[in-house]
Amino acid sequence: MSEINKKRIAVLVSGSGTNLQSIIDNVENGNLNCEITYVIADRECYSLQRAEKHRIKNLLLDRKIIDNKLANEIIDSTLKESKTDYIVLAGYLSILTEKFIKEWDRKVINIHPSLLPKFGGKGMYGIKVHEAVIKAGEKESGCTVHFVTNEIDAGEIITNVKVPVLEDDTPETLQKRVLEQEHKLLIKGIKKIL
Ligand code: GRF
């Protein structure tokens, strides 16, 4: 694919950014034919350092200082100005406003660390997801890439992968095994929508 057809993606983050790193690595090694326009964080986090290290434009819209509505307006205008095509939520913990989601309909995707529709929705993030999976006695879990809609974790599924839950799993060991798969699944999901 030529440079002209190269899609432009932005990545929204709140955490350590191992999924962001997977995107960066796959862009840099040519496996993902796209350009990262921006990394935007809603709090101080290690993801911003990853962006800096790879000379990717980055922006901190600290939720302790800026309210969500204003943050969404800034993200919207920043990403339109930078001619961003798609937005990837990679561990982004703030909720996008209805207006924003309408504006970017089918252009925003998210990765969630369970087999949606199971163990998704409000308050289901991070280690809480894996705690709930183990508590429910599930034999398998997984991760899901989906389009973002106004209903949390309920948008159309783009791709998913199953991960076994082992007898002696703790939420932490399960989280680690799922996260390894997330790094591959996210790339697969991005390729599917591009
Ligand atoms: C991942 O488990 C992702 O599915 C969830 O948040 C976590 C982010 O991890 N939405 P990282 O910051 O990419 O390491």
Side-chain angles (χ1 to χ4, degrees):
M1 223 187 273
S2 72
E3 284 289 313
I4 295 165
N5 291 327
K6 218 177 215 185
K7 294 291 182 199
R8 296 166 67 77
I9 64 169
V11 188
L12 271 51
V13 288
S14 304
S16 87
T18 61
N19 279 295
L20 166 67
Q21 190 64 51
S22 175
I23 298 173
I24 293 173
D25 293 345
N26 279 277
V27 168
E28 287 186 351
N29 71 21
N31 184 34
L32 253 187
N33 185 43
C34 56
E35 197 178 312
I36 305 173
T37 56
Y38 263 99
V39 168
I40 301 180
D42 65 351
R43 66 202 68 196
E44 282 286 358
C45 59
Y46 189 61
S47 292
L48 290 169
Q49 275 158 263
R50 294 184 195 268
E52 276 291 312
K53 188 166 169 231
H54 291 266
R55 298 174 195 282
I56 300 165
K57 276 191 203 157
N58 56 87
L59 185 62
L60 170 62
L61 297 170
D62 197 330
R63 287 289 311 281
K64 282 193 220 136
I65 302 165
I66 303 172
D67 77 28
N68 198 34
K69 188 168 169 277
L70 179 59
N72 274 246
E73 285 165 9
I74 297 171
I75 299 170
D76 178 63
S77 57
T78 305
L79 297 189
K80 279 178 184 161
E81 262 165 41
S82 63
K83 300 203 177 333
T84 298
D85 298 299
Y86 291 96
I87 302 170
V88 179
L89 308 187
Y92 185 66
L93 292 175
S94 293
I95 304 293
L96 294 170
T97 61
E98 270 186 39
K99 188 168 177 239
F100 187 95
I101 290 171
K102 203 171 167 200
E103 203 65 36
W104 291 84
D105 185 35
R106 289 184 79 82
K107 301 287 184 205
V108 188
I109 68 168
N110 179 47
I111 181 145
H112 184 81
S114 77
L115 273 185
L116 289 175
K118 282 185 161 185
F119 306 102
K122 201 167 190 282
M124 273 292 176
Y125 60 88
I127 199 74
K128 291 181 189 181
V129 177
H130 308 288
E131 282 167 358
V133 169
I134 287 178
K135 201 171 169 204
E138 296 286 320
K139 293 280 171 281
E140 63 181 16
S141 187
C143 44
T144 309
V145 175
H146 64 94
F147 283 108
V148 172
T149 60
N150 288 318
E151 226 180 308
I152 301 172
D153 297 328
E156 186 189 319
I157 291 171
I158 298 163
T159 180
N160 62 17
V161 66
K162 289 176 182 165
V163 173
V165 179
L166 307 181
E167 288 264 312
D168 57 354
D169 257 336
T170 62
E172 289 76 18
T173 57
L174 179 60
Q175 181 179 44
K176 186 166 176 275
R177 196 175 319 110
V178 171
L179 191 58
E180 279 165 17
Q181 294 306 315
E182 287 184 45
H183 299 156
K184 295 181 221 160
L185 190 77
L186 185 54
I187 305 307
K188 189 178 166 195
I190 294 172
K191 281 187 173 178
K192 265 186 124 173
I193 62 156
L194 290 185

mmCIF file of all heavy atoms in Angstrom, residues 13-21 47 50 89-93 110-114 125-126 130 143-144 175 178-179 182-183, ligand 1:
data_model
loop_
_atom_site.group_PDB
_atom_site.id
_atom_site.type_symbol
_atom_site.label_atom_id
_atom_site.label_comp_id
_atom_site.label_asym_id
_atom_site.label_seq_id
_atom_site.Cartn_x
_atom_site.Cartn_y
_atom_site.Cartn_z
ATOM 1 N N VAL A 13 -5.188 6.576 25.900
ATOM 2 C CA VAL A 13 -4.635 5.713 26.953
ATOM 3 C C VAL A 13 -4.835 6.305 28.355
ATOM 4 O O VAL A 13 -5.040 7.518 28.502
ATOM 5 C CB VAL A 13 -3.116 5.532 26.734
ATOM 6 C CG1 VAL A 13 -2.808 4.652 25.539
ATOM 7 C CG2 VAL A 13 -2.428 6.886 26.586
ATOM 8 N N SER A 14 -4.712 5.415 29.358
ATOM 9 C CA SER A 14 -4.728 5.869 30.755
ATOM 10 C C SER A 14 -3.677 5.155 31.587
ATOM 11 O O SER A 14 -3.499 5.472 32.758
ATOM 12 C CB SER A 14 -6.090 5.575 31.409
ATOM 13 O OG SER A 14 -7.152 6.145 30.709
ATOM 14 N N GLY A 15 -3.023 4.149 30.996
ATOM 15 C CA GLY A 15 -2.202 3.285 31.847
ATOM 16 C C GLY A 15 -0.798 3.059 31.345
ATOM 17 O O GLY A 15 -0.198 3.911 30.683
ATOM 18 N N SER A 16 -0.305 1.866 31.624
ATOM 19 C CA SER A 16 1.093 1.583 31.320
ATOM 20 C C SER A 16 1.354 1.498 29.817
ATOM 21 O O SER A 16 2.455 1.752 29.344
ATOM 22 C CB SER A 16 1.524 0.291 32.017
ATOM 23 O OG SER A 16 1.229 -0.801 31.200
ATOM 24 N N GLY A 17 0.334 1.126 29.048
ATOM 25 C CA GLY A 17 0.449 1.217 27.598
ATOM 26 C C GLY A 17 1.155 0.065 26.908
ATOM 27 O O GLY A 17 1.809 0.275 25.890
ATOM 28 N N THR A 18 0.974 -1.156 27.419
ATOM 29 C CA THR A 18 1.591 -2.275 26.697
ATOM 30 C C THR A 18 0.875 -2.512 25.364
ATOM 31 O O THR A 18 1.507 -2.923 24.391
ATOM 32 C CB THR A 18 1.611 -3.571 27.540
ATOM 33 O OG1 THR A 18 0.277 -3.946 27.860
ATOM 34 C CG2 THR A 18 2.416 -3.389 28.816
ATOM 35 N N ASN A 19 -0.427 -2.237 25.317
ATOM 36 C CA ASN A 19 -1.134 -2.345 24.033
ATOM 37 C C ASN A 19 -0.682 -1.249 23.073
ATOM 38 O O ASN A 19 -0.525 -1.493 21.872
ATOM 39 C CB ASN A 19 -2.650 -2.296 24.248
ATOM 40 C CG ASN A 19 -3.204 -3.636 24.685
ATOM 41 O OD1 ASN A 19 -3.164 -4.609 23.939
ATOM 42 N ND2 ASN A 19 -3.701 -3.705 25.921
ATOM 43 N N LEU A 20 -0.485 -0.057 23.607
ATOM 44 C CA LEU A 20 0.064 1.035 22.784
ATOM 45 C C LEU A 20 1.411 0.611 22.213
ATOM 46 O O LEU A 20 1.686 0.820 21.027
ATOM 47 C CB LEU A 20 0.224 2.307 23.636
ATOM 48 C CG LEU A 20 1.089 3.408 23.024
ATOM 49 C CD1 LEU A 20 0.435 4.005 21.790
ATOM 50 C CD2 LEU A 20 1.374 4.504 24.066
ATOM 51 N N GLN A 21 2.238 -0.005 23.054
ATOM 52 C CA GLN A 21 3.570 -0.423 22.604
ATOM 53 C C GLN A 21 3.467 -1.435 21.460
ATOM 54 O O GLN A 21 4.249 -1.388 20.509
ATOM 55 C CB GLN A 21 4.354 -1.032 23.781
ATOM 56 C CG GLN A 21 5.817 -1.259 23.472
ATOM 57 C CD GLN A 21 6.576 0.040 23.208
ATOM 58 O OE1 GLN A 21 6.489 0.970 24.002
ATOM 59 N NE2 GLN A 21 7.284 0.110 22.094
ATOM 60 N N SER A 47 2.302 5.464 29.432
ATOM 61 C CA SER A 47 2.053 5.517 27.984
ATOM 62 C C SER A 47 2.646 6.772 27.356
ATOM 63 O O SER A 47 3.125 6.744 26.219
ATOM 64 C CB SER A 47 0.544 5.523 27.715
ATOM 65 O OG SER A 47 -0.029 4.299 28.063
ATOM 66 N N ARG A 50 6.215 6.310 26.620
ATOM 67 C CA ARG A 50 6.397 5.460 25.437
ATOM 68 C C ARG A 50 6.265 6.310 24.169
ATOM 69 O O ARG A 50 7.050 6.175 23.231
ATOM 70 C CB ARG A 50 5.353 4.331 25.413
ATOM 71 C CG ARG A 50 5.508 3.313 26.539
ATOM 72 C CD ARG A 50 4.470 2.208 26.338
ATOM 73 N NE ARG A 50 4.297 1.381 27.515
ATOM 74 C CZ ARG A 50 4.960 0.248 27.769
ATOM 75 N NH1 ARG A 50 5.869 -0.185 26.923
ATOM 76 N NH2 ARG A 50 4.705 -0.450 28.859
ATOM 77 N N LEU A 89 -8.924 2.936 21.478
ATOM 78 C CA LEU A 89 -8.877 3.060 22.928
ATOM 79 C C LEU A 89 -8.087 1.865 23.451
ATOM 80 O O LEU A 89 -8.501 0.716 23.293
ATOM 81 C CB LEU A 89 -10.286 3.061 23.544
ATOM 82 C CG LEU A 89 -11.316 4.048 22.969
ATOM 83 C CD1 LEU A 89 -12.589 4.021 23.819
ATOM 84 C CD2 LEU A 89 -10.768 5.458 22.902
ATOM 85 N N ALA A 90 -6.920 2.155 24.039
ATOM 86 C CA ALA A 90 -6.067 1.067 24.526
ATOM 87 C C ALA A 90 -5.846 1.273 26.016
ATOM 88 O O ALA A 90 -4.849 1.832 26.443
ATOM 89 C CB ALA A 90 -4.743 1.057 23.763
ATOM 90 N N GLY A 91 -6.862 0.870 26.785
ATOM 91 C CA GLY A 91 -6.782 1.064 28.223
ATOM 92 C C GLY A 91 -7.151 2.482 28.619
ATOM 93 O O GLY A 91 -6.619 3.024 29.579
ATOM 94 N N TYR A 92 -8.076 3.086 27.855
ATOM 95 C CA TYR A 92 -8.522 4.459 28.152
ATOM 96 C C TYR A 92 -9.719 4.379 29.100
ATOM 97 O O TYR A 92 -10.722 3.727 28.785
ATOM 98 C CB TYR A 92 -8.910 5.155 26.849
ATOM 99 C CG TYR A 92 -9.268 6.614 26.994
ATOM 100 C CD1 TYR A 92 -8.315 7.554 27.369
ATOM 101 C CD2 TYR A 92 -10.562 7.062 26.727
ATOM 102 C CE1 TYR A 92 -8.632 8.896 27.481
ATOM 103 C CE2 TYR A 92 -10.887 8.409 26.826
ATOM 104 C CZ TYR A 92 -9.919 9.321 27.197
ATOM 105 O OH TYR A 92 -10.238 10.643 27.299
ATOM 106 N N LEU A 93 -9.607 5.025 30.255
ATOM 107 C CA LEU A 93 -10.619 4.804 31.293
ATOM 108 C C LEU A 93 -11.749 5.830 31.327
ATOM 109 O O LEU A 93 -12.775 5.602 31.953
ATOM 110 C CB LEU A 93 -9.943 4.738 32.670
ATOM 111 C CG LEU A 93 -9.061 3.497 32.872
ATOM 112 C CD1 LEU A 93 -8.339 3.570 34.210
ATOM 113 C CD2 LEU A 93 -9.872 2.215 32.777
ATOM 114 N N ASN A 110 -12.218 -0.296 20.715
ATOM 115 C CA ASN A 110 -11.711 -0.498 22.076
ATOM 116 C C ASN A 110 -11.281 -1.948 22.233
ATOM 117 O O ASN A 110 -11.817 -2.839 21.582
ATOM 118 C CB ASN A 110 -12.830 -0.180 23.079
ATOM 119 C CG ASN A 110 -12.406 -0.389 24.515
ATOM 120 O OD1 ASN A 110 -11.335 0.043 24.941
ATOM 121 N ND2 ASN A 110 -13.241 -1.082 25.285
ATOM 122 N N ILE A 111 -10.307 -2.162 23.123
ATOM 123 C CA ILE A 111 -9.979 -3.548 23.473
ATOM 124 C C ILE A 111 -10.394 -3.780 24.918
ATOM 125 O O ILE A 111 -10.132 -2.953 25.797
ATOM 126 C CB ILE A 111 -8.487 -3.893 23.234
ATOM 127 C CG1 ILE A 111 -8.216 -5.364 23.592
ATOM 128 C CG2 ILE A 111 -7.532 -2.965 23.990
ATOM 129 C CD1 ILE A 111 -7.205 -6.033 22.733
ATOM 130 N N HIS A 112 -11.068 -4.917 25.123
ATOM 131 C CA HIS A 112 -11.569 -5.241 26.460
ATOM 132 C C HIS A 112 -11.060 -6.633 26.858
ATOM 133 O O HIS A 112 -11.106 -7.559 26.049
ATOM 134 C CB HIS A 112 -13.101 -5.212 26.462
ATOM 135 C CG HIS A 112 -13.677 -5.435 27.823
ATOM 136 N ND1 HIS A 112 -13.777 -4.429 28.763
ATOM 137 C CD2 HIS A 112 -14.135 -6.565 28.413
ATOM 138 C CE1 HIS A 112 -14.283 -4.936 29.876
ATOM 139 N NE2 HIS A 112 -14.516 -6.222 29.702
ATOM 140 N N PRO A 113 -10.603 -6.779 28.109
ATOM 141 C CA PRO A 113 -9.982 -8.057 28.503
ATOM 142 C C PRO A 113 -10.937 -9.156 28.951
ATOM 143 O O PRO A 113 -10.701 -9.831 29.950
ATOM 144 C CB PRO A 113 -9.043 -7.637 29.634
ATOM 145 C CG PRO A 113 -9.736 -6.499 30.271
ATOM 146 C CD PRO A 113 -10.477 -5.775 29.172
ATOM 147 N N SER A 114 -12.043 -9.336 28.205
ATOM 148 C CA SER A 114 -12.904 -10.501 28.460
ATOM 149 C C SER A 114 -13.585 -10.858 27.154
ATOM 150 O O SER A 114 -13.490 -10.120 26.168
ATOM 151 C CB SER A 114 -13.973 -10.192 29.525
ATOM 152 O OG SER A 114 -15.022 -9.427 28.973
ATOM 153 N N TYR A 125 -13.258 -3.083 34.552
ATOM 154 C CA TYR A 125 -11.989 -2.763 33.899
ATOM 155 C C TYR A 125 -10.848 -3.308 34.747
ATOM 156 O O TYR A 125 -11.024 -3.635 35.918
ATOM 157 C CB TYR A 125 -11.833 -1.238 33.689
ATOM 158 C CG TYR A 125 -11.860 -0.453 34.971
ATOM 159 C CD1 TYR A 125 -10.685 -0.224 35.698
ATOM 160 C CD2 TYR A 125 -13.052 0.037 35.483
ATOM 161 C CE1 TYR A 125 -10.708 0.480 36.886
ATOM 162 C CE2 TYR A 125 -13.090 0.734 36.676
ATOM 163 C CZ TYR A 125 -11.907 0.946 37.375
ATOM 164 O OH TYR A 125 -11.932 1.622 38.559
ATOM 165 N N GLY A 126 -9.696 -3.420 34.115
ATOM 166 C CA GLY A 126 -8.497 -3.864 34.830
ATOM 167 C C GLY A 126 -8.684 -5.203 35.510
ATOM 168 O O GLY A 126 -9.361 -6.108 35.003
ATOM 169 N N HIS A 130 -10.957 -9.781 35.632
ATOM 170 C CA HIS A 130 -10.410 -11.126 35.854
ATOM 171 C C HIS A 130 -10.873 -11.702 37.200
ATOM 172 O O HIS A 130 -11.082 -12.898 37.323
ATOM 173 C CB HIS A 130 -8.884 -11.077 35.737
ATOM 174 C CG HIS A 130 -8.454 -10.421 34.452
ATOM 175 N ND1 HIS A 130 -8.606 -11.035 33.237
ATOM 176 C CD2 HIS A 130 -7.948 -9.184 34.194
ATOM 177 C CE1 HIS A 130 -8.188 -10.215 32.284
ATOM 178 N NE2 HIS A 130 -7.786 -9.083 32.838
ATOM 179 N N CYS A 143 -10.295 -12.000 25.146
ATOM 180 C CA CYS A 143 -10.326 -10.551 24.957
ATOM 181 C C CYS A 143 -11.058 -10.242 23.659
ATOM 182 O O CYS A 143 -11.197 -11.099 22.787
ATOM 183 C CB CYS A 143 -8.931 -9.948 24.993
ATOM 184 S SG CYS A 143 -7.669 -10.840 24.073
ATOM 185 N N THR A 144 -11.530 -9.009 23.577
ATOM 186 C CA THR A 144 -12.421 -8.612 22.482
ATOM 187 C C THR A 144 -12.054 -7.226 21.971
ATOM 188 O O THR A 144 -11.832 -6.312 22.772
ATOM 189 C CB THR A 144 -13.895 -8.552 22.998
ATOM 190 O OG1 THR A 144 -14.206 -9.778 23.658
ATOM 191 C CG2 THR A 144 -14.878 -8.298 21.872
ATOM 192 N N GLN A 175 -4.862 -12.340 34.118
ATOM 193 C CA GLN A 175 -4.681 -11.025 33.471
ATOM 194 C C GLN A 175 -3.452 -11.037 32.556
ATOM 195 O O GLN A 175 -3.488 -10.553 31.428
ATOM 196 C CB GLN A 175 -4.517 -9.947 34.545
ATOM 197 C CG GLN A 175 -4.349 -8.548 33.985
ATOM 198 C CD GLN A 175 -4.208 -7.507 35.091
ATOM 199 O OE1 GLN A 175 -3.483 -7.718 36.066
ATOM 200 N NE2 GLN A 175 -4.918 -6.416 34.962
ATOM 201 N N VAL A 178 -4.122 -13.137 29.436
ATOM 202 C CA VAL A 178 -5.045 -12.437 28.519
ATOM 203 C C VAL A 178 -4.314 -11.270 27.840
ATOM 204 O O VAL A 178 -4.438 -11.067 26.626
ATOM 205 C CB VAL A 178 -6.308 -11.933 29.273
ATOM 206 C CG1 VAL A 178 -7.147 -11.017 28.390
ATOM 207 C CG2 VAL A 178 -7.153 -13.116 29.751
ATOM 208 N N LEU A 179 -3.523 -10.541 28.619
ATOM 209 C CA LEU A 179 -2.827 -9.366 28.082
ATOM 210 C C LEU A 179 -1.887 -9.727 26.922
ATOM 211 O O LEU A 179 -1.799 -9.006 25.924
ATOM 212 C CB LEU A 179 -2.056 -8.649 29.205
ATOM 213 C CG LEU A 179 -1.498 -7.264 28.878
ATOM 214 C CD1 LEU A 179 -2.589 -6.283 28.450
ATOM 215 C CD2 LEU A 179 -0.747 -6.689 30.094
ATOM 216 N N GLU A 182 -4.012 -9.919 24.048
ATOM 217 C CA GLU A 182 -4.507 -8.585 23.647
ATOM 218 C C GLU A 182 -3.552 -7.921 22.669
ATOM 219 O O GLU A 182 -3.973 -7.286 21.701
ATOM 220 C CB GLU A 182 -4.661 -7.681 24.873
ATOM 221 C CG GLU A 182 -5.827 -8.027 25.763
ATOM 222 C CD GLU A 182 -5.968 -7.036 26.901
ATOM 223 O OE1 GLU A 182 -5.880 -5.818 26.673
ATOM 224 O OE2 GLU A 182 -6.149 -7.472 28.059
ATOM 225 N N HIS A 183 -2.260 -8.061 22.959
ATOM 226 C CA HIS A 183 -1.258 -7.392 22.123
ATOM 227 C C HIS A 183 -1.351 -7.837 20.663
ATOM 228 O O HIS A 183 -1.107 -7.055 19.755
ATOM 229 C CB HIS A 183 0.148 -7.649 22.680
ATOM 230 C CG HIS A 183 0.320 -7.106 24.068
ATOM 231 N ND1 HIS A 183 1.244 -7.585 24.954
ATOM 232 C CD2 HIS A 183 -0.343 -6.115 24.717
ATOM 233 C CE1 HIS A 183 1.143 -6.916 26.097
ATOM 234 N NE2 HIS A 183 0.194 -6.026 25.972
HETATM 235 C C1 GRF B 1 -5.894 -3.857 28.931
HETATM 236 O O1 GRF B 1 -6.214 -4.992 29.675
HETATM 237 C C2 GRF B 1 -7.062 -3.446 28.071
HETATM 238 O O2 GRF B 1 -7.813 -4.511 27.612
HETATM 239 C C3 GRF B 1 -7.875 -2.638 29.015
HETATM 240 O O3 GRF B 1 -6.925 -1.937 29.792
HETATM 241 C C4 GRF B 1 -5.692 -2.651 29.826
HETATM 242 C C5 GRF B 1 -4.621 -1.731 29.357
HETATM 243 O O4 GRF B 1 -3.353 -2.264 29.476
HETATM 244 N N1 GRF B 1 -8.854 -1.857 28.303
HETATM 245 P P1 GRF B 1 -2.112 -1.507 28.869
HETATM 246 O O5 GRF B 1 -2.114 -0.081 29.406
HETATM 247 O O6 GRF B 1 -2.238 -1.527 27.377
HETATM 248 O O7 GRF B 1 -0.900 -2.249 29.332
#
